Amino acid sequence: MRIEGKEYRTIWFENNVVKIIDQTKLPHHFIIKELKTVNDAVNAIKVMEVRGAPLIGATAAYGLVLAIIEKNDKSFLEKSANHLIASRPTAINLKWAVDRMMNKLSGINSNQILNVALNKAKEICDEDEKFCENIGVNGLKLIENIYNKKKDRVNILTHCNAGWLATINWGTATSPIYYAHKKGIPVHVWVDETRPRNQGANLTSYELNEEEISNTIIADNTGGILMQRGEVDMCIVGTDRTLSNGDVCNKIGTYLKALAAHDNNVPFYVALPSSTIDWDIKDAKDIPIEERNSEELSHVEGVDENNEIKKVLIYPTKSKAMNLAFDVTPAKYVTGLITERGITEASFDGLKKLFK
Ligand code: MRU
């Protein structure tokens, strides 16, 4: 997708380094950062210079490429794989990508391993881009249906950033929106700010602006009243891990949006590539929910009059804060899953029909 008219993907390999767009500096500064070691990759995932389930998977895949460049040694590679998997706990794509890389690399001799790893990391990225494009094609039909009935602007609410910045390109939740816009359907996006890290305001709104798609940032608690007023035609969100029974783990606050959508008969869709399906965990209670530093709540970041990023304290100094980063929306509140293979109900049978 475009930034200032120029096409980018979110991660690429060039001159023996991995290049990423540093998302901690957006929307104020567009900075391309180089990752030179596997530790750089682990750190970029931890501090969320890269984030979003598919992109952290791709970064981990390239992290293993960097590990091989640093030290072409089996035990270093295995240690690196474990570090990468441990860098963030909730998004299943991280383990999915590392396992895929390690399976491919097992038994490959040291002369060939770098080439094989590079090709596999690129394949993971290319495949994610294709999956996200297909999610767009499939999800477009839902937006078209609403537009054909309504004959007026389609209002879509989204939470967090499940846009192209969270993937390699296109995004998951945003891909149907980009397709609808390209087709000339008038769309408008209600962008949940998504406290505490403001991925909606800082990233989703930013990327929609760059593609000239109408959007309005709202505080996280505003979606309910907009749905009561009939100003939301559908919700589309992303996911970090969807269980085979259709339960959806995504950014904190997704569950409350799904409850409000259910109460107001607003369709609530989740867009995901198959790399985000967890076929193993059966009970949502077993999903590891990341708890991040409470400083993300107690402090806010923005730019000062010199366009420099500053962080300020907004809470009473004595107050405690708790920062759970994800929640789980039970399948019964999910109208459908938009995947690269089609749209299905959020259930084991639905997913099995498409993927097994
Ligand atoms: O903590 P983040 O910013 O990595 O959380 C991202 C989300 O919750 C996204 O909605 C999810 O990863 C889907 S991205 C296509």
Side-chain angles (χ1 to χ4, degrees):
M1 307 300 287
R2 282 174 301 184
I3 293 179
E4 290 180 7
K6 189 171 171 212
E7 290 282 338
Y8 287 92
R9 298 222 292 190
T10 50
I11 188 164
W12 64 98
F13 188 80
E14 197 180 306
N15 300 330
N16 265 11
V17 300
V18 175
K19 297 203 176 174
I20 57 160
I21 299 166
D22 180 354
Q23 300 193 20
T24 62
K25 304 290 185 295
L26 291 174
H28 306 292
H29 302 295
F30 179 76
I31 292 170
I32 292 173
K33 188 165 176 177
E34 294 185 351
L35 309 180
K36 295 181 178 154
T37 64
V38 64
N39 265 344
D40 288 348
V42 168
N43 189 53
I45 297 169
K46 274 192 178 155
V47 304
M48 294 171 66
E49 288 165 350
V50 285
R51 27 94 18 233
L55 180 56
I56 60 179
T59 308
Y62 273 121
L64 291 174
V65 170
L66 294 173
I68 295 166
I69 293 173
E70 262 178 281
K71 201 174 175 183
N72 194 338
D73 168 86
K74 194 166 174 274
S75 92
F76 183 65
L77 189 64
E78 273 161 12
K79 259 191 220 143
S80 301
N82 291 335
H83 280 157
L84 286 160
I85 290 175
S87 58
R88 285 192 78 189
T90 301
I92 185 81
N93 304 58
L94 198 49
K95 184 168 178 328
W96 173 89
V98 170
D99 285 352
R100 246 179 109 170
M101 291 290 290
M102 293 304 276
N103 286 341
K104 182 76 190 178
L105 299 178
S106 88
I108 304 284
N109 71 45
S110 56
N111 296 334
Q112 292 170 325
I113 197 163
L114 177 58
N115 260 344
V116 175
L118 260 174
N119 287 339
K120 192 73 192 168
K122 185 160 183 306
E123 181 190 301
I124 286 173
C125 292
D126 291 346
E127 186 185 88
D128 185 70
E129 181 172 33
K130 191 74 208 142
F131 283 177
C132 287
E133 274 181 43
N134 289 347
I135 288 169
V137 173
N138 294 329
L140 168 64
K141 294 172 206 139
L142 299 170
I143 302 177
E144 268 176 333
N145 285 345
I146 295 172
Y147 180 63
N148 289 339
K149 278 193 205 128
K150 196 182 171 194
K151 303 270 182 264
D152 201 356
R153 184 177 95 161
V154 181
N155 289 303
I156 301 165
L157 183 141
T158 191
H159 190 68
C160 194
N161 173 261
W164 77 272
L165 289 165
T167 64
I168 303 303
N169 212 341
W170 292 97
T172 58
T174 53
S175 188
I177 299 170
Y178 288 130
Y179 270 86
H181 178 71
K182 280 184 200 301
K183 231 188 148 181
I185 297 174
V187 279
H188 167 259
V189 185
W190 296 113
V191 177
D192 279 355
E193 182 189 32
T194 319
R195 281 281 291 149
R197 288 190 66 112
N198 298 335
Q199 290 95 326
N202 290 348
L203 305 174
T204 306
S205 182
Y206 170 77
E207 61 165 88
L208 293 173
N209 291 343
E210 294 295 313
E211 292 290 330
E212 297 179 0
I213 294 183
S214 162
N215 70 94
T216 307
I217 298 168
I218 51 174
D220 291 330
N221 296 326
T222 309
I225 188 169
L226 291 177
M227 291 184 209
Q228 286 172 328
R229 288 180 175 178
E231 292 185 51
V232 181
D233 296 304
M234 71 189 302
C235 303
I236 316 182
V237 300
T239 168
D240 290 82
R241 189 187 289 246
T242 287
L243 301 191
S244 60
N245 67 7
D247 287 352
V248 170
C249 181
N250 191 45
K251 181 54 56 192
I252 193 85
T254 303
Y255 170 52
L256 291 179
K257 256 352 99 66
L259 286 180
H262 182 75
D263 192 44
N264 290 283
N265 290 319
V266 172
F268 188 90
Y269 284 94
V270 178
L272 71 155
S274 50
S275 51
T276 309
I277 303 170
D278 183 338
W279 294 99
D280 295 327
I281 288 186
K282 301 284 177 254
D283 187 334
K285 288 193 201 79
D286 296 328
I287 299 175
I289 299 288
E290 180 176 17
E291 185 170 351
R292 294 185 64 86
N293 195 321
S294 62
E295 222 187 83
E296 291 182 350
L297 277 162
S298 59
H299 291 66
V300 287
E301 264 185 24
V303 284
D304 65 11
E305 59 283 2
N306 299 317
N307 207 26
E308 274 175 32
I309 295 178
K310 288 274 154 66
K311 196 190 240 189
V312 294
L313 172 71
I314 54 166
Y315 282 4
T317 41
K318 285 187 187 160
S319 295
K320 286 192 202 125
M322 187 204 208
N323 187 11
L324 291 176
F326 298 95
D327 61 25
V328 180
T329 300
K332 63 181 174 187
Y333 298 121
V334 177
T335 311
L337 303 172
I338 311 170
T339 77
E340 74 268 17
R341 294 208 184 158
I343 300 171
T344 182
E345 62 175 31
S347 70
F348 183 73
D349 287 346
L351 281 170
K352 208 174 88 175
K353 256 183 235 149
L354 286 183
F355 291 106
K356 284 249 162 155

